Amino acid sequence: MKIKSKRRNALQENSALSDLAFLLIIYFIVIAGFDVNKGLLMNLPAKDSSRLVAKEEILRYFLDDSGTLYLGSDKKNIPTVEREISRAVSLHPNMAIVLDVAPAAPWQNVVSFVELAERLKVETFSFKLKASTDPAAAGDI
């Protein structure tokens, strides 16, 4: 007795896989076109480098809880800070700008200050979260 075997059509089985492969190719082409994560482009120092900065070449600002900027105990606004930093960088190209940030400071102000430093081409910039909310305490190095 002869057993009949059911003959499968190979074209129908592979068509689903080829459709899936085609859709995956299209998907990866589409998502490769988007550069979503640009972030903030800043040059970071090399891991092994050590750089000495003179105390006179450091400008230390403090951003308090209300978003007010201080240089020492003097209140500053962004246009004044911009003039100060650009003048300091033109006099001392190695000028280091430090921003101490109070814990409850508005983060938009921090971002604005970082953008300002990037726009003024400050080579050495640092910011950190400060425990004290006293502007006079931020002046300590």
Side-chain angles (χ1 to χ4, degrees):
M1 173 170 198
K2 206 176 194 184
I3 299 175
K4 286 186 178 182
S5 64
K6 202 176 199 182
R7 192 163 198 185
R8 296 182 187 172
N9 190 351
L11 183 61
Q12 288 177 347
E13 287 179 11
N14 291 337
S15 65
L17 290 177
S18 64
D19 287 345
L20 179 63
F22 179 75
L23 289 174
L24 285 173
I25 290 170
I26 297 293
Y27 172 75
F28 287 119
I29 289 173
V30 169
I31 65 167
F34 298 110
D35 190 10
V36 177
N37 194 10
K38 282 192 176 183
L40 181 66
L41 302 174
M42 295 185 97
N43 292 333
L44 297 175
K47 188 176 183 178
D48 300 345
S49 72
S50 60
R51 182 174 168 198
L52 297 176
V53 178
K55 199 170 186 177
E56 302 81 41
E57 294 182 345
I58 296 175
L59 278 177
R60 184 177 291 272
Y61 290 92
F62 177 70
L63 187 65
D64 72 357
D65 293 332
S66 65
T68 306
L69 266 173
Y70 292 91
L71 178 62
S73 59
D74 299 331
K75 284 185 183 181
K76 301 289 180 178
N77 57 17
I78 291 293
T80 306
V81 169
E82 186 171 2
R83 283 191 302 273
E84 287 175 348
I85 292 175
S86 68
R87 186 177 65 239
V89 168
S90 67
L91 292 173
H92 304 282
N94 293 332
M95 182 62 66
I97 308 298
V98 178
L99 177 64
D100 293 319
V101 182
W107 282 103
Q108 181 57 48
N109 293 20
V110 176
V111 171
S112 298
F113 195 92
V114 171
E115 287 173 345
L116 173 69
E118 183 181 23
R119 189 172 63 245
L120 295 175
K121 297 184 178 19
V122 174
E123 287 188 22
T124 307
F125 176 75
S126 171
F127 67 95
K128 67 178 179 177
L129 197 60
K130 195 75 169 177
S132 173
T133 58
D134 181 21
D140 300 331
I141 293 179

